[in-house]
Amino acid sequence: MSSVHTDNERRKQISVRGIAELADVNEIKKTFNRHLHYTLVKDRNVATTRDYYFALAHTVKDHLVSRWIRTQQFYYETDPKRVYYLSLEFYMGRSLTNTMINIGIQTACDQALYELGLNIEDLEEMEEDAGLGNGGLGRLAACFLDSMATLGMAAYGYGIRYEYGIFAQKIINGEQQEEPDDWLRFGNPWEKARPEYMIPVNFYGHVIDGPGNTKKWVNTQVVFALPYDNPVPGYDNNVVNTLRLWSAKSPIDFNLKFFNDGDYIQAVLDRNLAENISRVLYPNDNKFEGKELRLKQEYFMCAATLQDIIRRFKASKFGSKEHVRDDFSLLPEKVAIQLNDTHPSLAIPELMRILIDIEGMAWEEAWELVVRTCAYTNHTILPEALERWPVSMLESILPRHLQIIYHINFLHLQDVERKWPGDMDKMRRMSLIEEDGEKRVNMAHLSIVGSHAVNGVARIHSEIIKNDLFKDFYELTPEKFQNKTNGITPRRWLLLCNPGLSDLICDSIGEEWITHLDQLKTLKKFAKDSNMHRKIMSIKQENKLKLAEILFKDYGIKVNVASIFDIQVKRIHEYKRQLLNCLHIITLYNRIKKNPSAKFTPRTIMIGGKAAPGYYTAKKIIKLINAVSNVINNDPIVGDRLKVIYLENYRVTLAERIIPAADLSEQISTAGTEASGTGNMKFMLNGALTIGTLDGANVEMAEEMGNENIFIFGMTVDQVHELEKKGYNAYDYYKSNHELEQVVDQIQNGFFTPGNPDEFKDLADILLKYDRFYLLADYEDYIKTQDLVSATYENQPKWLEMVINNIASSGKFSSDRTIIEYGKDIWGVEANYKKLPAPHEPRELQLRE
């Protein structure tokens, strides 16, 4: 249909921006057919669309592999400092389109498939999302990998190859139901198994004295870590870095006695238990649960990764020179390890174990190397999200590491005592071991003590860390603490997902913005340009039409594309306040019902996101939104003035369709609870206006664009603290606002569920009695600000001026900028904007500007 065809045409144009198309169409057709026949063993008579996708993926990968090998050869020859990004989550999404764009073969592939009678978009739809993350933390890791490759840094991502990623969400009778995300069931054409680098990882056992001051960890249970390498292409620079994901494999040796005593079959079956370690991603990143399997996952990833890092450190070309790489004093000069939250914090005691017990180093020397090598990023200030592992669990599973942690704590508390003699309260607060109730190890404290740099992910978040969450640690070592405001990759989040807007920007200011997003500021000169307004409006309308087609196909709901597309997509959590959004929806509904003939700015409100399977309140909020939407969408009086859609199974691929179509982005967390947010940046870059609190990166977004281009409401962090001190009484707000009282009563009395009037009584109780996130305190200002949104939307020249100012102010929020700052301030690594030689060029060519 025409919109798809238009999109293809636009994508053909944008893909050649800044990249010389070197791929030969005939060669691509030949390679495609070769893979169809010889890799997939199919011909056109029996091949399915999925077969064609795999043939195309292998064809594209062929263009990637020579760049990948050359990049690694270049790193070996030049021996730069390497960056290792350790994360339990990498929310990569799909690879095909991103890869074609980054290496500059999208147009040629498109043309080749067209000549073969195939539609490239049909094939792209067959790719499974690599959903190896819950939300922001994992998607940030993916954006960072893209930026590190684009900036020419010798960087590696390390994580776990979960057999099952984040669960697939089904909405059945308004309720979330979880289904396994079997993303590997058809295979993954992008990965390459590396069994030659398989690494043993130990668990359990006990510790005995070794020679000198070393210890031996003996009688352990061994699990093998099998690496799978995934290419990470930079944009238009022929650099391809590596994401290495570990898969758990049982040891292959068998005790022959099983043949004799009849337990052989059971012994073989029991081997699968070890492989459960990499079976499934825990679907929760904002509530710590001390599950044994999760601890094993964290150590499994850290142990395998550190052995791999040490192997590469020792085997480098530089290291092959006499005496050099046996000198571990060079480790911090050649290795930077970044811990993405506390999930990889066991890397600290594990590196100590390797240096002391295996390499025979003295404690003081080893500790200095560990601290200079490791750095820690904090992602949350919610107390329930901070990891605290029971000492008893560590003692059983990782006995040597517990000994090391105890000694780290002993020396750390000596430092505390020296600075604050006799202050037992401070020592208790700063100890790595918490002793109230069950003894636990505070992994954030371990990460701070064992790192040379600690950063938050937005300026306001970093200030809260210093002044509140880790105040004592900041006073002890203020030089460690910094801020690194998050960012997003403009390649996926504009060039790939919004080709129409990308094309317009290229036509207006050139192509440099793709790798230097701050160039967008030159768009500000068009803010009042009526011709630019028409073009922007046309692109947004086209994106809205495409999304409307999807909504009608998936939900059978016809939406008004002239309405405000008002969107809140993120994990469902009380602090993100989807419930406040729902209160606004009900308020709008009540206003239409009260005065059906009144003027009303139409809205299509979409909410999407997954709730952790055990998070009762979040799942109840999903059910309420669906109950409310069911009433509103079927009320003939409301008509197309208000529609509410719950977007099922929100994920990266769906975000790529929703974000370009959005008019309004909801970023409404309670001030002081959202570390940064990156969805807010994606919406801003794609020309959606933000309604939000002064929380996370919203604060810096408002600074960049000016308060006149964003809809800010609600309490500030200081006002939240004041309210906490004086005491929050939700009833005061409930009784003083008639609209709010009506809305809460409707939830409480079963207005939206007449068959079960008590269905949402518990949510009303939370609002009125137990609400930690002060929804009712911010309700009135939120509603007033939403009214301002509607009024502004009616004034399209004003709205479009704000849209252009949003896009033009997005430069700061590129992950390229974030990574350059990490490199300069934490890793000691510089960006390299030079290109490696292309595959058809002699390898001996020097780097090209």
Side-chain angles (χ1 to χ4, degrees), residues 574-793:
E574 287 166 272
Y575 86 85
K576 293 180 184 285
R577 301 206 291 192
Q578 286 91 353
L579 192 49
L580 180 59
N581 193 345
C582 195
L583 298 183
H584 174 241
I585 292 168
I586 299 169
T587 303
L588 292 181
Y589 173 68
N590 289 338
R591 286 178 177 178
I592 294 172
K593 293 293 280 185
K594 185 178 178 184
N595 191 354
S597 60
K599 187 174 184 310
F600 185 86
T601 305
R603 284 201 192 218
T604 301
I605 300 175
M606 297 170 236
I607 301 176
K610 296 174 182 178
Y615 191 169
Y616 173 83
T617 303
K619 293 177 92 166
K620 210 62 191 270
I621 289 168
I622 292 174
K623 191 169 187 182
L624 173 63
I625 294 164
N626 280 298
V628 170
S629 72
N630 189 48
V631 169
I632 292 173
N633 295 345
N634 291 298
D635 191 323
I637 292 171
V638 174
D640 68 356
R641 288 179 290 180
L642 181 61
K643 289 282 186 247
V644 181
I645 299 173
Y646 196 89
L647 298 162
E648 185 180 74
N649 200 34
Y650 180 64
R651 60 203 184 280
V652 174
T653 299
L654 191 52
E656 290 167 5
R657 293 173 169 84
I658 291 163
I659 290 168
D663 292 307
L664 185 69
S665 159
E666 301 263 355
Q667 309 294 335
I668 59 178
S669 52
T670 311
T673 60
E674 183 71 85
S676 170
T678 51
N680 45 5
M681 302 168 187
K682 292 161 195 162
F683 283 106
M684 176 186 181
L685 181 61
N686 282 273
L689 304 188
T690 298
I691 181 166
T693 51
L694 283 172
D695 196 25
N698 290 357
V699 177
E700 289 159 82
M701 285 165 51
E703 284 176 3
E704 292 296 303
M705 71 177 79
N707 282 334
E708 68 278 9
N709 292 303
I710 189 170
F711 299 102
I712 294 294
F713 75 93
M715 295 179 288
T716 63
V717 171
D718 290 342
Q719 289 168 334
V720 168
H721 287 324
E722 282 171 33
L723 185 59
E724 278 171 357
K725 276 184 200 158
K726 80 170 189 185
Y728 170 59
N729 186 350
Y731 272 94
D732 292 344
Y733 299 95
Y734 166 70
K735 282 297 182 188
S736 64
N737 185 306
H738 173 68
E739 283 193 314
L740 174 58
E741 186 176 9
Q742 182 186 3
V743 168
V744 175
D745 287 350
Q746 285 170 306
I747 293 170
Q748 190 160 234
N749 300 331
F751 177 88
F752 298 102
T753 50
N756 183 3
D758 294 336
E759 179 73 60
F760 300 116
K761 259 190 172 21
D762 45 2
L763 288 185
D765 277 349
I766 287 172
L767 287 170
L768 294 172
K769 300 175 189 172
Y770 313 114
D771 180 19
R772 293 192 293 147
F773 301 109
Y774 312 125
L775 273 69
L776 303 196
D778 271 350
Y779 168 85
E780 188 172 337
D781 198 19
Y782 180 52
I783 299 300
K784 278 183 190 165
T785 308
Q786 287 282 21
D787 292 344
L788 177 60
V789 169
S790 294
T792 309
Y793 191 75

Side-chain angles (χ1 to χ4, degrees), residues 20 101 195 279 373 400 493 503 519 552 567 715 755 763 769 826:
I101 287 173
R279 195 82 69 201
T373 302
R400 178 60 180 138
W493 295 112
D503 204 17
Q519 294 294 316
F552 185 68
I567 298 178
M715 295 179 288
L763 288 185
K769 300 175 189 172
I826 297 178

Side-chain angles (χ1 to χ4, degrees), residues 71-128:
T71 302
Q72 304 314 311
Q73 287 171 336
F74 176 72
Y75 293 159
Y76 181 76
E77 294 293 336
T78 56
D79 195 33
K81 183 172 185 178
R82 290 168 164 87
V83 175
Y84 297 98
Y85 196 83
L86 276 60
S87 180
L88 223 53
E89 300 182 20
F90 286 94
Y91 207 168
M92 303 299 288
R94 291 173 172 172
S95 292
L96 177 60
T97 312
N98 187 69
T99 301
M100 292 190 295
I101 287 173
N102 277 15
I103 65 173
I105 62 169
Q106 189 187 27
T107 302
C109 289
D110 208 346
Q111 182 63 31
L113 290 174
Y114 176 76
E115 291 180 14
L116 289 167
L118 297 168
N119 182 344
I120 196 168
E121 288 202 342
D122 293 340
L123 276 52
E124 288 169 334
E125 282 301 306
M126 299 310 297
E127 183 173 3
E128 300 281 344

Side-chain angles (χ1 to χ4, degrees), residues 253-268:
D253 53 327
F254 283 98
N255 191 326
L256 287 177
K257 80 179 182 64
F258 287 129
F259 281 111
N260 303 321
D261 63 18
D263 282 347
Y264 171 72
I265 298 296
Q266 191 57 47
V268 175

Side-chain angles (χ1 to χ4, degrees), residues 22-42 44 51-65 103 105 108-109 112-113 115-116 118 123:
L22 301 169
D24 179 84
V25 172
N26 288 326
E27 186 58 37
I28 286 175
K29 284 158 65 178
K30 201 185 299 179
T31 308
F32 178 88
N33 281 321
R34 178 169 56 79
H35 278 299
L36 189 64
H37 294 153
Y38 297 112
T39 306
L40 299 167
V41 197
K42 292 282 183 82
R44 293 291 292 264
D51 294 324
Y52 294 138
Y53 156 69
F54 273 100
L56 177 58
H58 285 297
T59 302
V60 171
K61 191 176 172 187
D62 283 355
H63 285 79
L64 201 59
V65 165
I103 65 173
I105 62 169
C109 289
L113 290 174
E115 291 180 14
L116 289 167
L118 297 168
L123 276 52

Side-chain angles (χ1 to χ4, degrees), residues 55 110 227 229 257 296 323 482 535 677 690 792 813:
D110 208 346
D229 286 352
K257 80 179 182 64
K296 285 181 173 177
H323 76 261
Q482 357 182 326
K535 290 175 180 175
T690 298
T792 309
F813 305 107

Side-chain angles (χ1 to χ4, degrees), residues 292-499:
E292 184 173 306
L293 177 60
R294 174 74 166 191
L295 178 62
K296 285 181 173 177
Q297 287 181 338
E298 293 184 359
Y299 178 65
F300 173 77
M301 191 266 282
C302 290
T305 299
L306 281 166
Q307 289 182 69
D308 212 37
I309 291 171
I310 298 294
R311 174 194 60 76
R312 194 177 287 113
F313 173 78
K314 287 182 168 183
S316 69
K317 184 181 181 186
F318 188 39
S320 66
K321 295 176 184 174
E322 267 184 62
H323 76 261
V324 175
R325 275 301 198 262
D326 289 331
D327 179 5
F328 271 90
S329 66
L330 290 169
L331 190 70
E333 311 304 320
K334 289 295 179 183
V335 171
I337 295 173
Q338 189 68 37
L339 310 177
N340 193 27
D341 218 358
T342 55
H343 311 141
S345 56
L346 287 165
I348 292 167
E350 173 65 6
L351 186 51
M352 285 297 289
R353 185 187 73 82
I354 290 170
L355 294 178
I356 294 168
D357 293 351
I358 297 173
E359 301 296 337
M361 204 174 285
W363 178 282
E364 293 75 14
E365 185 187 0
W367 181 245
E368 185 198 352
L369 294 179
V370 168
V371 173
R372 287 174 60 204
T373 302
C374 295
Y376 160 56
T377 300
N378 173 274
H379 281 278
T380 182
I381 58 170
L382 295 180
E384 65 266 30
L386 295 173
E387 288 191 306
R388 296 172 166 88
W389 286 106
V391 163
S392 57
M393 195 183 287
L394 283 165
E395 194 168 30
S396 166
I397 297 171
L398 301 170
R400 178 60 180 138
H401 298 76
L402 182 62
Q403 290 180 346
I404 290 169
I405 290 167
Y406 269 131
H407 196 61
I408 292 170
N409 193 43
F410 170 73
L411 296 172
H412 161 62
L413 290 179
Q414 285 186 338
D415 290 341
V416 175
E417 169 68 20
R418 273 191 290 273
K419 185 159 177 80
W420 295 287
D423 191 337
M424 297 306 294
D425 199 43
K426 198 171 280 278
M427 287 182 75
R428 178 187 58 76
R429 290 199 308 269
M430 295 184 72
S431 175
L432 274 53
I433 314 295
E434 298 180 349
E435 312 236 8
D436 50 317
E438 184 184 21
K439 259 192 184 182
R440 299 177 307 276
V441 177
N442 185 314
M443 305 308 279
H445 291 182
L446 172 63
S447 301
I448 294 168
V449 172
S451 297
H452 70 276
V454 177
N455 71 281
V457 290
R459 194 176 66 239
I460 187 173
H461 171 232
S462 298
E463 290 303 308
I464 290 169
I465 283 174
K466 292 194 298 190
N467 300 329
D468 187 3
L469 189 64
F470 302 133
K471 185 171 186 281
D472 295 323
F473 289 89
Y474 175 63
E475 289 171 354
L476 180 66
T477 52
E479 69 282 356
K480 282 188 181 186
F481 287 77
Q482 357 182 326
N483 174 58
K484 295 287 169 278
T485 298
N486 282 344
I488 57 172
T489 167
R491 272 73 63 183
R492 184 177 291 265
W493 295 112
L494 185 51
L495 191 64
L496 182 155
C497 75
N498 201 341

